[in-house]
Amino acid sequence: IGAASNVGIGLVPIVSMLLGSLIVSVRSGLSAFLPEAVVEPLLANQAWRFLMIVGALPALLVFFIRAFVPESEKWHEEQASGRTGHWAVRDLLATLGGTLGAALVIAAWSPAVSSWAVRAVVTPVGLLAALVGFLHPVRMYLARATASGAVGAGEAATIRSRLVVGALVAGVPLLGTWGAVQWAPSWAIQMTSGTSATFAKEYTQLAGSIGAVIGTVIAALVADRFGRRITYAVLCVASTAALVWLYQAHAAFDGRFLVAVGVVGAVTASFYGWFPLYLPELFPTSVRATSQGFAYNFGRVLAAVGTLQTAPLMALFGGSFPQAGTILSAIYLLGLLVIWRAPRTPGLASAAG
């Protein structure tokens, strides 16, 4: 799963470079059936709007997934036992409130809002709304399942605590990815400004994606061999070291820089090969998909709040990517504290996990 997602990320710069090379042909083709008033803004600024539209096309694969991908046997077993009957579709409406809460936080940290007092008030309110909204479906399921005797009170308490653990475990690498790793393409643009180098950001993103595909597969194998928690801890330390090496040992866009980006991609994206192993093991089958979905996506909300601080940090260092990136790399070390308190899971290949 982690590797496949990074294949998609790697395809973005390839499509971008192809689009840049074929922009004249694309413009001619679109002008044949669209007015120039639409074509011009669609292809302006390196055609980023058109690239976004192209990126939406894989959503059509959902129809094939629904038609040909079977449900898991474990889910069928849970359905036959009646444990899935405690879910209610109406509970999912609360996630809309959670989404609005997250959007409220983003709005508070947008350039349109300059008041730190407003941000200080809105941020916790928005986070609380996101937490309550996203947790609501699981909370209601547990309430019904506990009342019917299908889930014990102790098991319900364990699931609730593990939801928080899962969100924190996911939040650290997500914050590191968005706060430190994703600045590499922008840094490449800065380093090649005023030179004849082309597609600097595309090559940078592609190098990181290639490394990420390799890293996610290796991380899964390592976690299966040595244990989930020790692998996560090693990845946290390695991610910080790789980012410090990237930002402090490179000052030009060249082959060495791209190799370093590939290494950073491999190490930092390894977490996304680790997540599909550890997060499902935290929860019983009946709540597994929703619970790990909450953990990962609320981790993204936490990461987004932290990432919004990146711009002020960049401004503090005069727009220096190396200085800001090096400081932000320390985010991964927080993962050592999180995983130390995280539970061992039953799917481990060794007791060291």
PDB file of all heavy atoms in Angstrom, residues 287-318:
ATOM      1  N   VAL A 287     -13.731  -3.208  14.128  1.00  0.00           N
ATOM      2  CA  VAL A 287     -13.545  -1.751  14.075  1.00  0.00           C
ATOM      3  C   VAL A 287     -12.226  -1.377  13.401  1.00  0.00           C
ATOM      4  O   VAL A 287     -11.799  -0.235  13.467  1.00  0.00           O
ATOM      5  CB  VAL A 287     -13.577  -1.125  15.497  1.00  0.00           C
ATOM      6  CG1 VAL A 287     -14.935  -1.300  16.130  1.00  0.00           C
ATOM      7  CG2 VAL A 287     -12.485  -1.711  16.381  1.00  0.00           C
ATOM      8  N   ARG A 288     -11.617  -2.336  12.747  1.00  0.00           N
ATOM      9  CA  ARG A 288     -10.252  -2.133  12.254  1.00  0.00           C
ATOM     10  C   ARG A 288     -10.156  -1.034  11.203  1.00  0.00           C
ATOM     11  O   ARG A 288      -9.331  -0.127  11.310  1.00  0.00           O
ATOM     12  CB  ARG A 288      -9.706  -3.454  11.695  1.00  0.00           C
ATOM     13  CG  ARG A 288      -8.268  -3.363  11.196  1.00  0.00           C
ATOM     14  CD  ARG A 288      -7.687  -4.753  11.028  1.00  0.00           C
ATOM     15  NE  ARG A 288      -7.569  -5.402  12.322  1.00  0.00           N
ATOM     16  CZ  ARG A 288      -7.597  -6.720  12.501  1.00  0.00           C
ATOM     17  NH1 ARG A 288      -7.772  -7.517  11.462  1.00  0.00           N
ATOM     18  NH2 ARG A 288      -7.463  -7.230  13.710  1.00  0.00           N
ATOM     19  N   ALA A 289     -10.968  -1.100  10.175  1.00  0.00           N
ATOM     20  CA  ALA A 289     -10.850  -0.131   9.080  1.00  0.00           C
ATOM     21  C   ALA A 289     -11.126   1.289   9.559  1.00  0.00           C
ATOM     22  O   ALA A 289     -10.367   2.226   9.267  1.00  0.00           O
ATOM     23  CB  ALA A 289     -11.814  -0.496   7.950  1.00  0.00           C
ATOM     24  N   THR A 290     -12.217   1.457  10.322  1.00  0.00           N
ATOM     25  CA  THR A 290     -12.564   2.799  10.798  1.00  0.00           C
ATOM     26  C   THR A 290     -11.535   3.315  11.791  1.00  0.00           C
ATOM     27  O   THR A 290     -11.152   4.493  11.748  1.00  0.00           O
ATOM     28  CB  THR A 290     -13.959   2.788  11.445  1.00  0.00           C
ATOM     29  OG1 THR A 290     -14.911   2.377  10.475  1.00  0.00           O
ATOM     30  CG2 THR A 290     -14.342   4.164  11.955  1.00  0.00           C
ATOM     31  N   SER A 291     -11.063   2.447  12.683  1.00  0.00           N
ATOM     32  CA  SER A 291     -10.124   2.885  13.719  1.00  0.00           C
ATOM     33  C   SER A 291      -8.778   3.276  13.137  1.00  0.00           C
ATOM     34  O   SER A 291      -8.216   4.309  13.497  1.00  0.00           O
ATOM     35  CB  SER A 291      -9.950   1.776  14.760  1.00  0.00           C
ATOM     36  OG  SER A 291     -11.168   1.523  15.437  1.00  0.00           O
ATOM     37  N   GLN A 292      -8.238   2.457  12.235  1.00  0.00           N
ATOM     38  CA  GLN A 292      -6.950   2.831  11.652  1.00  0.00           C
ATOM     39  C   GLN A 292      -7.120   4.019  10.708  1.00  0.00           C
ATOM     40  O   GLN A 292      -6.204   4.839  10.566  1.00  0.00           O
ATOM     41  CB  GLN A 292      -6.307   1.654  10.939  1.00  0.00           C
ATOM     42  CG  GLN A 292      -7.009   1.159   9.699  1.00  0.00           C
ATOM     43  CD  GLN A 292      -6.216   0.065   8.991  1.00  0.00           C
ATOM     44  OE1 GLN A 292      -4.992   0.096   8.968  1.00  0.00           O
ATOM     45  NE2 GLN A 292      -6.911  -0.903   8.440  1.00  0.00           N
ATOM     46  N   GLY A 293      -8.299   4.139  10.090  1.00  0.00           N
ATOM     47  CA  GLY A 293      -8.570   5.321   9.275  1.00  0.00           C
ATOM     48  C   GLY A 293      -8.567   6.575  10.118  1.00  0.00           C
ATOM     49  O   GLY A 293      -8.016   7.613   9.723  1.00  0.00           O
ATOM     50  N   PHE A 294      -9.185   6.494  11.313  1.00  0.00           N
ATOM     51  CA  PHE A 294      -9.157   7.642  12.229  1.00  0.00           C
ATOM     52  C   PHE A 294      -7.722   7.955  12.638  1.00  0.00           C
ATOM     53  O   PHE A 294      -7.291   9.113  12.595  1.00  0.00           O
ATOM     54  CB  PHE A 294      -9.982   7.369  13.483  1.00  0.00           C
ATOM     55  CG  PHE A 294      -9.668   8.329  14.597  1.00  0.00           C
ATOM     56  CD1 PHE A 294     -10.230   9.595  14.619  1.00  0.00           C
ATOM     57  CD2 PHE A 294      -8.772   7.978  15.606  1.00  0.00           C
ATOM     58  CE1 PHE A 294      -9.903  10.498  15.626  1.00  0.00           C
ATOM     59  CE2 PHE A 294      -8.439   8.864  16.613  1.00  0.00           C
ATOM     60  CZ  PHE A 294      -9.010  10.130  16.628  1.00  0.00           C
ATOM     61  N   ALA A 295      -6.977   6.922  13.059  1.00  0.00           N
ATOM     62  CA  ALA A 295      -5.620   7.138  13.554  1.00  0.00           C
ATOM     63  C   ALA A 295      -4.764   7.837  12.506  1.00  0.00           C
ATOM     64  O   ALA A 295      -4.070   8.819  12.796  1.00  0.00           O
ATOM     65  CB  ALA A 295      -4.997   5.803  13.961  1.00  0.00           C
ATOM     66  N   TYR A 296      -4.810   7.339  11.275  1.00  0.00           N
ATOM     67  CA  TYR A 296      -3.978   7.907  10.221  1.00  0.00           C
ATOM     68  C   TYR A 296      -4.430   9.315   9.858  1.00  0.00           C
ATOM     69  O   TYR A 296      -3.613  10.241   9.761  1.00  0.00           O
ATOM     70  CB  TYR A 296      -4.014   7.013   8.986  1.00  0.00           C
ATOM     71  CG  TYR A 296      -3.111   7.482   7.872  1.00  0.00           C
ATOM     72  CD1 TYR A 296      -1.742   7.246   7.927  1.00  0.00           C
ATOM     73  CD2 TYR A 296      -3.617   8.167   6.777  1.00  0.00           C
ATOM     74  CE1 TYR A 296      -0.900   7.680   6.911  1.00  0.00           C
ATOM     75  CE2 TYR A 296      -2.780   8.603   5.758  1.00  0.00           C
ATOM     76  CZ  TYR A 296      -1.427   8.355   5.830  1.00  0.00           C
ATOM     77  OH  TYR A 296      -0.605   8.799   4.825  1.00  0.00           O
ATOM     78  N   ASN A 297      -5.716   9.502   9.711  1.00  0.00           N
ATOM     79  CA  ASN A 297      -6.201  10.796   9.223  1.00  0.00           C
ATOM     80  C   ASN A 297      -6.224  11.861  10.306  1.00  0.00           C
ATOM     81  O   ASN A 297      -6.018  13.047   9.999  1.00  0.00           O
ATOM     82  CB  ASN A 297      -7.582  10.632   8.592  1.00  0.00           C
ATOM     83  CG  ASN A 297      -7.506   9.933   7.250  1.00  0.00           C
ATOM     84  OD1 ASN A 297      -6.937  10.453   6.307  1.00  0.00           O
ATOM     85  ND2 ASN A 297      -8.037   8.719   7.171  1.00  0.00           N
ATOM     86  N   PHE A 298      -6.447  11.481  11.572  1.00  0.00           N
ATOM     87  CA  PHE A 298      -6.311  12.501  12.610  1.00  0.00           C
ATOM     88  C   PHE A 298      -4.842  12.842  12.795  1.00  0.00           C
ATOM     89  O   PHE A 298      -4.495  13.976  13.130  1.00  0.00           O
ATOM     90  CB  PHE A 298      -6.917  12.058  13.935  1.00  0.00           C
ATOM     91  CG  PHE A 298      -7.093  13.208  14.890  1.00  0.00           C
ATOM     92  CD1 PHE A 298      -8.113  14.126  14.695  1.00  0.00           C
ATOM     93  CD2 PHE A 298      -6.224  13.392  15.949  1.00  0.00           C
ATOM     94  CE1 PHE A 298      -8.267  15.220  15.546  1.00  0.00           C
ATOM     95  CE2 PHE A 298      -6.370  14.476  16.812  1.00  0.00           C
ATOM     96  CZ  PHE A 298      -7.394  15.384  16.611  1.00  0.00           C
ATOM     97  N   GLY A 299      -3.968  11.859  12.534  1.00  0.00           N
ATOM     98  CA  GLY A 299      -2.545  12.163  12.509  1.00  0.00           C
ATOM     99  C   GLY A 299      -2.229  13.207  11.459  1.00  0.00           C
ATOM    100  O   GLY A 299      -1.371  14.076  11.651  1.00  0.00           O
ATOM    101  N   ARG A 300      -2.930  13.159  10.338  1.00  0.00           N
ATOM    102  CA  ARG A 300      -2.745  14.163   9.278  1.00  0.00           C
ATOM    103  C   ARG A 300      -3.210  15.539   9.741  1.00  0.00           C
ATOM    104  O   ARG A 300      -2.606  16.565   9.385  1.00  0.00           O
ATOM    105  CB  ARG A 300      -3.505  13.741   8.028  1.00  0.00           C
ATOM    106  CG  ARG A 300      -2.944  12.487   7.379  1.00  0.00           C
ATOM    107  CD  ARG A 300      -3.835  11.974   6.272  1.00  0.00           C
ATOM    108  NE  ARG A 300      -3.799  12.835   5.108  1.00  0.00           N
ATOM    109  CZ  ARG A 300      -4.527  12.622   4.009  1.00  0.00           C
ATOM    110  NH1 ARG A 300      -5.333  11.580   3.949  1.00  0.00           N
ATOM    111  NH2 ARG A 300      -4.436  13.432   2.997  1.00  0.00           N
ATOM    112  N   VAL A 301      -4.294  15.580  10.543  1.00  0.00           N
ATOM    113  CA  VAL A 301      -4.760  16.863  11.076  1.00  0.00           C
ATOM    114  C   VAL A 301      -3.695  17.451  12.003  1.00  0.00           C
ATOM    115  O   VAL A 301      -3.373  18.644  11.925  1.00  0.00           O
ATOM    116  CB  VAL A 301      -6.096  16.687  11.831  1.00  0.00           C
ATOM    117  CG1 VAL A 301      -6.493  17.990  12.512  1.00  0.00           C
ATOM    118  CG2 VAL A 301      -7.194  16.243  10.872  1.00  0.00           C
ATOM    119  N   LEU A 302      -3.155  16.614  12.891  1.00  0.00           N
ATOM    120  CA  LEU A 302      -2.085  17.084  13.786  1.00  0.00           C
ATOM    121  C   LEU A 302      -0.887  17.570  12.974  1.00  0.00           C
ATOM    122  O   LEU A 302      -0.281  18.599  13.287  1.00  0.00           O
ATOM    123  CB  LEU A 302      -1.661  15.952  14.717  1.00  0.00           C
ATOM    124  CG  LEU A 302      -2.707  15.448  15.718  1.00  0.00           C
ATOM    125  CD1 LEU A 302      -2.153  14.264  16.502  1.00  0.00           C
ATOM    126  CD2 LEU A 302      -3.129  16.558  16.671  1.00  0.00           C
ATOM    127  N   ALA A 303      -0.552  16.814  11.927  1.00  0.00           N
ATOM    128  CA  ALA A 303       0.582  17.199  11.086  1.00  0.00           C
ATOM    129  C   ALA A 303       0.320  18.519  10.366  1.00  0.00           C
ATOM    130  O   ALA A 303       1.215  19.346  10.220  1.00  0.00           O
ATOM    131  CB  ALA A 303       0.866  16.091  10.073  1.00  0.00           C
ATOM    132  N   ALA A 304      -0.921  18.715   9.924  1.00  0.00           N
ATOM    133  CA  ALA A 304      -1.255  19.950   9.214  1.00  0.00           C
ATOM    134  C   ALA A 304      -1.090  21.159  10.124  1.00  0.00           C
ATOM    135  O   ALA A 304      -0.568  22.207   9.713  1.00  0.00           O
ATOM    136  CB  ALA A 304      -2.689  19.883   8.685  1.00  0.00           C
ATOM    137  N   VAL A 305      -1.507  21.018  11.379  1.00  0.00           N
ATOM    138  CA  VAL A 305      -1.366  22.127  12.327  1.00  0.00           C
ATOM    139  C   VAL A 305       0.112  22.465  12.515  1.00  0.00           C
ATOM    140  O   VAL A 305       0.509  23.638  12.528  1.00  0.00           O
ATOM    141  CB  VAL A 305      -2.009  21.770  13.683  1.00  0.00           C
ATOM    142  CG1 VAL A 305      -1.735  22.863  14.711  1.00  0.00           C
ATOM    143  CG2 VAL A 305      -3.510  21.585  13.518  1.00  0.00           C
ATOM    144  N   GLY A 306       0.943  21.440  12.655  1.00  0.00           N
ATOM    145  CA  GLY A 306       2.369  21.681  12.805  1.00  0.00           C
ATOM    146  C   GLY A 306       2.997  22.250  11.549  1.00  0.00           C
ATOM    147  O   GLY A 306       3.862  23.142  11.613  1.00  0.00           O
ATOM    148  N   THR A 307       2.566  21.754  10.400  1.00  0.00           N
ATOM    149  CA  THR A 307       3.134  22.208   9.131  1.00  0.00           C
ATOM    150  C   THR A 307       2.827  23.679   8.882  1.00  0.00           C
ATOM    151  O   THR A 307       3.618  24.388   8.242  1.00  0.00           O
ATOM    152  CB  THR A 307       2.577  21.358   7.975  1.00  0.00           C
ATOM    153  OG1 THR A 307       2.840  19.986   8.250  1.00  0.00           O
ATOM    154  CG2 THR A 307       3.237  21.728   6.659  1.00  0.00           C
ATOM    155  N   LEU A 308       1.713  24.149   9.393  1.00  0.00           N
ATOM    156  CA  LEU A 308       1.358  25.554   9.226  1.00  0.00           C
ATOM    157  C   LEU A 308       2.354  26.479   9.915  1.00  0.00           C
ATOM    158  O   LEU A 308       2.374  27.681   9.648  1.00  0.00           O
ATOM    159  CB  LEU A 308      -0.054  25.805   9.763  1.00  0.00           C
ATOM    160  CG  LEU A 308      -1.194  25.182   8.932  1.00  0.00           C
ATOM    161  CD1 LEU A 308      -2.511  25.244   9.691  1.00  0.00           C
ATOM    162  CD2 LEU A 308      -1.323  25.874   7.596  1.00  0.00           C
ATOM    163  N   GLN A 309       3.168  25.909  10.822  1.00  0.00           N
ATOM    164  CA  GLN A 309       4.186  26.724  11.486  1.00  0.00           C
ATOM    165  C   GLN A 309       5.467  26.818  10.658  1.00  0.00           C
ATOM    166  O   GLN A 309       6.392  27.551  11.023  1.00  0.00           O
ATOM    167  CB  GLN A 309       4.528  26.119  12.859  1.00  0.00           C
ATOM    168  CG  GLN A 309       3.354  25.638  13.676  1.00  0.00           C
ATOM    169  CD  GLN A 309       2.252  26.670  13.800  1.00  0.00           C
ATOM    170  OE1 GLN A 309       2.524  27.839  14.086  1.00  0.00           O
ATOM    171  NE2 GLN A 309       1.014  26.259  13.596  1.00  0.00           N
ATOM    172  N   THR A 310       5.532  26.070   9.566  1.00  0.00           N
ATOM    173  CA  THR A 310       6.761  26.033   8.774  1.00  0.00           C
ATOM    174  C   THR A 310       7.068  27.390   8.142  1.00  0.00           C
ATOM    175  O   THR A 310       8.226  27.826   8.121  1.00  0.00           O
ATOM    176  CB  THR A 310       6.650  24.961   7.673  1.00  0.00           C
ATOM    177  OG1 THR A 310       6.349  23.708   8.272  1.00  0.00           O
ATOM    178  CG2 THR A 310       7.951  24.848   6.906  1.00  0.00           C
ATOM    179  N   ALA A 311       6.049  28.049   7.617  1.00  0.00           N
ATOM    180  CA  ALA A 311       6.276  29.353   6.970  1.00  0.00           C
ATOM    181  C   ALA A 311       6.867  30.378   7.944  1.00  0.00           C
ATOM    182  O   ALA A 311       7.852  31.056   7.604  1.00  0.00           O
ATOM    183  CB  ALA A 311       4.985  29.861   6.352  1.00  0.00           C
ATOM    184  N   PRO A 312       6.296  30.525   9.171  1.00  0.00           N
ATOM    185  CA  PRO A 312       6.926  31.449  10.123  1.00  0.00           C
ATOM    186  C   PRO A 312       8.361  31.051  10.460  1.00  0.00           C
ATOM    187  O   PRO A 312       9.229  31.915  10.637  1.00  0.00           O
ATOM    188  CB  PRO A 312       6.026  31.349  11.366  1.00  0.00           C
ATOM    189  CG  PRO A 312       4.693  30.929  10.835  1.00  0.00           C
ATOM    190  CD  PRO A 312       5.006  30.017   9.688  1.00  0.00           C
ATOM    191  N   LEU A 313       8.630  29.737  10.526  1.00  0.00           N
ATOM    192  CA  LEU A 313       9.988  29.279  10.815  1.00  0.00           C
ATOM    193  C   LEU A 313      10.930  29.642   9.666  1.00  0.00           C
ATOM    194  O   LEU A 313      12.063  30.086   9.891  1.00  0.00           O
ATOM    195  CB  LEU A 313       9.993  27.773  11.049  1.00  0.00           C
ATOM    196  CG  LEU A 313      11.325  27.148  11.468  1.00  0.00           C
ATOM    197  CD1 LEU A 313      11.777  27.719  12.809  1.00  0.00           C
ATOM    198  CD2 LEU A 313      11.209  25.628  11.549  1.00  0.00           C
ATOM    199  N   MET A 314      10.449  29.468   8.445  1.00  0.00           N
ATOM    200  CA  MET A 314      11.253  29.853   7.283  1.00  0.00           C
ATOM    201  C   MET A 314      11.557  31.344   7.315  1.00  0.00           C
ATOM    202  O   MET A 314      12.683  31.775   7.029  1.00  0.00           O
ATOM    203  CB  MET A 314      10.504  29.488   6.004  1.00  0.00           C
ATOM    204  CG  MET A 314      10.477  28.009   5.689  1.00  0.00           C
ATOM    205  SD  MET A 314      12.050  27.417   5.055  1.00  0.00           S
ATOM    206  CE  MET A 314      12.102  28.297   3.492  1.00  0.00           C
ATOM    207  N   ALA A 315      10.554  32.140   7.659  1.00  0.00           N
ATOM    208  CA  ALA A 315      10.749  33.592   7.720  1.00  0.00           C
ATOM    209  C   ALA A 315      11.772  33.957   8.795  1.00  0.00           C
ATOM    210  O   ALA A 315      12.570  34.887   8.621  1.00  0.00           O
ATOM    211  CB  ALA A 315       9.414  34.281   8.001  1.00  0.00           C
ATOM    212  N   LEU A 316      11.753  33.203   9.896  1.00  0.00           N
ATOM    213  CA  LEU A 316      12.689  33.468  10.993  1.00  0.00           C
ATOM    214  C   LEU A 316      14.131  33.296  10.538  1.00  0.00           C
ATOM    215  O   LEU A 316      15.023  34.022  10.991  1.00  0.00           O
ATOM    216  CB  LEU A 316      12.379  32.518  12.157  1.00  0.00           C
ATOM    217  CG  LEU A 316      13.234  32.674  13.418  1.00  0.00           C
ATOM    218  CD1 LEU A 316      12.994  34.036  14.066  1.00  0.00           C
ATOM    219  CD2 LEU A 316      12.928  31.558  14.418  1.00  0.00           C
ATOM    220  N   PHE A 317      14.360  32.350   9.612  1.00  0.00           N
ATOM    221  CA  PHE A 317      15.712  32.091   9.116  1.00  0.00           C
ATOM    222  C   PHE A 317      15.949  32.724   7.746  1.00  0.00           C
ATOM    223  O   PHE A 317      16.830  32.283   7.001  1.00  0.00           O
ATOM    224  CB  PHE A 317      15.971  30.587   9.051  1.00  0.00           C
ATOM    225  CG  PHE A 317      16.084  29.936  10.396  1.00  0.00           C
ATOM    226  CD1 PHE A 317      15.059  29.152  10.888  1.00  0.00           C
ATOM    227  CD2 PHE A 317      17.196  30.141  11.190  1.00  0.00           C
ATOM    228  CE1 PHE A 317      15.151  28.561  12.129  1.00  0.00           C
ATOM    229  CE2 PHE A 317      17.304  29.555  12.441  1.00  0.00           C
ATOM    230  CZ  PHE A 317      16.274  28.764  12.917  1.00  0.00           C
ATOM    231  N   GLY A 318      15.154  33.720   7.403  1.00  0.00           N
ATOM    232  CA  GLY A 318      15.380  34.450   6.165  1.00  0.00           C
ATOM    233  C   GLY A 318      15.167  33.624   4.917  1.00  0.00           C
ATOM    234  O   GLY A 318      15.816  33.841   3.897  1.00  0.00           O
TER     235      GLY A 318
END
